Amino acid sequence: MKLTANKIAGLLRQHGYKLTPQRWAVLNVISHRHDHLTPAAIYDRVSQEHPGIGLVTIYRTLEVLAELGLLCKVHVEGGCRSYLMRRPSVHHHHLICSGCGRVVDFTDCALNELEQRLSRETGFEMKDHLLELYGHCQNCQKIA
Amino acid sequence: MKLTANKIAGLLRQHGYKLTPQRWAVLNVISHRHDHLTPAAIYDRVSQEHPGIGLVTIYRTLEVLAELGLLCKVHVEGGCRSYLMRRPSVHHHHLICSGCGRVVDFTDCALNELEQRLSRETGFEMKDHLLELYGHCQNCQKIA
DNA sequence: AAATAATTGAAAATTATTTTCATTTAGACA
DNA sequence: TGTCTAAATGAAAATAATTTTCAATTATTT
Ligand SMILES: [Zn+2]
Ligand SMILES: [Zn+2]
Ligand SMILES: [Zn+2]
Ligand SMILES: [Zn+2]
């Protein structure tokens, strides 16, 4: 189920945003694709059709569209980093307190079944996964 | 953390790395904590004890320690972004091709049970989660 | 103790993102 | 339709995060 141009237009206006050619150009680039693009990559593609549009506008447009819930953000390897001494030597994941950064490790991620099912359904060969749980630790619950 | 000190020393030497005071200082800062720290935060803390050590060295040390499997990397909100038109309006996640960036959405993340169990075990109040699966799509399997 | 290859710090370079500000424009409305 | 105004834009500067370069230093080997 695809969002029509009208729906998008309405959404923008509803929130007091204007419908500019620049925003259409960005939407045009991302709306027909099934892959994820960085701001710079979007800029490159937008530039091909509309050489006048600046990278700043791409950033601003993406922010607006994301705010309206029209976009998903994807985390990419190497994009962000914060470090932690590795404690379990085996495969594990982190439960992270958004308040203080405290981390609890857990080893039972139970994604095998999901991976297998999706592999069967999509033909993807599964390699890896990123899983992080966020919450507030007992300490930070008191504070907040 | 004396038990691991020898292990760490051995690991470094095994891989042809030297055991410098700078590396000890970094290890010292992260090894006793249960939270995650950015390079800048680690730099701040290291500086308190060893004002001479440069931020560049922190970066380089973290790279080495991560390579040796001594550290975990944590993704943090806002750290990295690549965008995608949102397709399912409901809660969902992405299966991403590491080759071409293609994305398949899936809505069945099945993390409730895990979250509940961990909440019970740790006292954390669960808020959110980040889940991404990585693999190679059929196209990219042929190419590779 | 000398040799040497790895490591370091300072500075410069690169990259990604945000802010500032003067100018333009979409959409409202007379 | 033309006028008005808040919102949006582009260029440039500012900020932030990371990487590269390079000469000087140092941990380890012999
Ligand atoms: Zn906390
Ligand atoms: Zn897992
Ligand atoms: Zn692919
Ligand atoms: Zn989910």
Side-chain angles (χ1 to χ4, degrees), chain A residues 14 22 38 42 49 55 62 68 70 72 74 78 81 90 93 105 110 112 136 139 141:
Chain A
Q14 255 175 55
Q22 290 89 341
T38 61
I42 292 167
E49 289 290 309
L55 179 56
L62 291 171
L68 296 182
L70 292 169
C72 288
V74 164
R81 50 178 156 193
V90 297
H93 297 284
D105 309 289
N112 271 15
H136 281 106
N139 239 355
Q141 283 170 48

Side-chain angles (χ1 to χ4, degrees), chain A residues 17-18 20 22-23 53 57 60 81:
Chain A
Y17 292 117
K18 289 180 181 174
T20 65
Q22 290 89 341
R23 286 177 178 158
I53 299 180
T57 297
R60 289 190 282 223
R81 50 178 156 193

Side-chain angles (χ1 to χ4, degrees), chain B residues 73-133:
Chain B
K73 275 186 203 172
V74 164
H75 281 252
V76 281
E77 186 51 42
C80 50
R81 48 180 157 190
S82 198
Y83 292 92
L84 181 72
M85 186 62 94
R86 177 171 187 142
R87 288 166 299 191
S89 56
V90 296
H91 179 84
H92 68 281
H93 298 284
H94 303 122
L95 163 55
I96 302 167
C97 176
S98 304
C100 64
R102 185 173 319 207
V103 174
V104 171
D105 310 291
F106 61 94
T107 54
D108 164 19
C109 74
L111 289 174
N112 270 14
E113 205 182 322
L114 176 64
E115 286 189 334
Q116 279 173 20
R117 204 198 77 221
L118 284 170
S119 182
R120 215 181 309 123
E121 288 176 12
T122 64
F124 268 61
E125 186 185 352
M126 295 298 179
K127 294 285 186 194
D128 197 9
H129 53 249
L130 167 59
L131 172 61
E132 285 179 3
L133 304 188

